[in-house]
Amino acid sequence: MPLHIQTPLLESLALSRAAGTQVWLKLEALQPPGSFKLRGVGLACEHHRQRGAMRFVSSSGGNAGLAVAHAGRSLSVPVVVVVPQTTSARAIELLREADAEVIVHGSSWVEANALAQSMVEASDAFIHPFDDPLLWQGHASMIDEVAAAGLRPDAVVLSVGGGGLMSGVIEGLQRAGWDEVPVLAVETHGAASLQAAMAAGKPVAIEAITSIATSLGAKQVCDQAFALSQRHPVRPVQVSDAAAVRACRRFLDDHRLLVEPACGAALAVVYDALPALADFKRVLVIVCGGATATAEQLARWSAELPG
Ligand SMILES: *Cc1c(COP(=O)(O)O)cnc(C)c1O
C-alpha cells in the first residue's frame, strides 16, 4: 500500500464558470500532510526503508518536510528536519506535531541544508524536495489516476517551484500516451526560475526569490524539469502574488479548501481566465495544496499586497 491516498477528481462548476471552459480539479490538497509531495516523498521513503534506512533527513521547512515527517511516522522511521530561522512558527509546529525532530539553523535554506547534509550518516536517507527520479515517479501516479478515471484533459495547469511536480506530471502524461497534452507551468513573478531557464535555453539560477509563495521558491529548477520543457509542450505562465492570494481566497469559498499561494498561482490562471487557457476545452488543474498558510495569513496578505 502506498503512503499517499487516491485523491478526488472533480469538475468544478465555479472554476469552469470563471474560466469559460470546463475545469477539472485533482485535489492533492487532500493528501494527509496537505500537499501532493507525499506521492513522491512516500515512494522515496518506502524505497529507502526497504534498503535499510534507519532515519530520514530533510531540510525543507515546507511541504516536503511535512511529507517526510508523515512518511517517517507511517513507516516508524525517525525523521530529522533542519530548517532555517526564517521558517514560520506554524510550519515548525506542524513538523513537531508529526513527530519530526526539528533543528533550527542558519539564516537561509542554504545553511540549513548544509547542516542537514553533514548529518547524513550511512544508515540515513536524505530526501530531496524536488530533484530525484523517485519523487517524479511517485508524483506521476496522480496522472495514472486521472487516466484510470477516463478523463483526458487537453491541458494541465500546475505550479512550478523546483520542478519536481512538473517532472512527475509529464512522466505521467507520457506514460498515458498523452505526449501532446500541454502543461501550463505557473510561477509567481518573484519565483520564475523555470521561465528564466526556458528564456536562457539552459538551467540558470535567478538572483533572488521575492514572492510570498515560498513553496515555489527554488532559485533554479532541476535539470530534469528544464530538459522536459524542451521535449514536451510546456507553456510558462506568470501571475502576481496578489492574484495567487486572491485565488486562494476564492477557492476557499468555492470549494471549502484552504491552500497556499503556491497553489493559488495555478488557480489564478483559471479564476482570471488568462489568455493561456484560450485554446482549451477541458482543463485539468493540479490543486497541489500546501499546509503552511492559514486563513488569517491569507487575509493579511491580501490587505498588504497591491492590486
Ligand atoms: C513543493 C510545492 C510546489 C512546487 O513543487 P516543485 O516540485 O518544487 O516544483 C507547489 N505547490 C506546493 C503546495 C508545494 O508544496
Side-chain angles (χ1 to χ4, degrees):
M1 267 259 293
L3 300 182
H4 67 264
I5 64 164
Q6 197 169 327
T7 55
L9 172 68
L10 51 92
E11 185 183 354
S12 169
L13 291 182
L15 276 87
S16 297
R17 192 162 298 137
T21 194
Q22 199 181 89
V23 176
W24 288 77
L25 305 175
K26 188 65 174 151
L27 292 179
E28 291 302 300
L30 295 176
Q31 293 294 347
S35 83
F36 74 94
K37 288 228 168 56
L38 183 60
R39 289 187 186 264
V41 164
L43 185 72
C45 288
E46 281 189 299
H47 169 88
H48 291 299
R49 176 75 191 121
Q50 270 162 20
R51 305 173 106 238
M54 304 292 284
R55 188 173 70 154
F56 301 140
V57 180
S58 167
S59 58
S60 161
N63 297 304
L66 290 170
V68 176
H70 181 91
R73 248 184 126 236
S74 303
L75 298 169
S76 304
V77 172
V79 170
V80 58
V81 185
V82 185
V83 300
Q85 282 139 11
T86 50
T87 308
S88 70
R90 162 107 183 141
I92 291 172
E93 181 190 318
L94 289 171
L95 286 166
R96 292 201 167 123
E97 270 172 12
D99 298 339
E101 180 193 344
V102 181
I103 299 175
V104 180
H105 174 82
S107 57
S108 78
W109 177 79
V110 175
E111 287 106 54
N113 187 55
L115 178 64
Q117 300 274 5
S118 75
M119 291 171 63
V120 177
E121 291 167 23
S123 57
D124 295 340
F126 180 75
I127 310 294
H128 196 279
F130 56 82
D131 193 3
D132 178 347
L134 284 170
L135 297 176
W136 313 327
Q137 188 191 330
H139 298 338
S141 63
M142 75 180 77
I143 300 300
D144 298 341
E145 290 171 18
V146 174
L151 179 80
R152 187 192 189 286
D154 58 8
V156 179
V157 182
L158 53 76
S159 305
V160 175
L165 173 60
M166 186 180 94
S167 298
V169 164
I170 293 177
E171 184 172 321
L173 292 174
Q174 294 183 339
R175 199 143 79 197
W178 297 343
D179 302 75
E180 69 292 349
V181 174
V183 169
L184 308 190
V186 191
E187 299 173 290
T188 46
H189 294 313
S193 47
L194 175 68
Q195 191 151 358
M198 290 178 74
K202 60 177 188 217
V204 291
I206 58 175
E207 232 158 74
I209 301 294
T210 56
S211 173
I212 56 146
T214 48
S215 295
L216 304 184
K219 287 191 191 170
Q220 183 166 336
V221 294
C222 60
D223 288 353
Q224 174 75 351
F226 173 73
L228 287 172
S229 77
Q230 307 300 297
R231 284 211 301 274
H232 188 93
V234 172
R235 305 188 188 180
V237 181
Q238 282 188 37
V239 302
S240 67
D241 279 356
V245 169
R246 210 161 49 228
C248 291
R249 300 188 81 197
R250 280 182 73 174
F251 193 67
L252 180 57
D253 288 341
D254 287 338
H255 285 281
R256 286 84 51 200
L257 278 174
L258 180 69
V259 298
E260 287 181 17
C263 177
L267 297 170
V269 171
V270 174
Y271 276 125
D272 295 345
L274 295 188
L277 282 181
D279 299 342
F280 308 113
K281 299 199 159 51
R282 186 180 294 143
V283 175
L284 173 69
V285 181
I286 306 299
V287 183
C288 49
T292 69
T294 60
E296 194 193 330
Q297 174 75 73
L298 284 179
R300 225 175 311 137
W301 275 321
S302 69
E304 286 163 11
L305 290 167

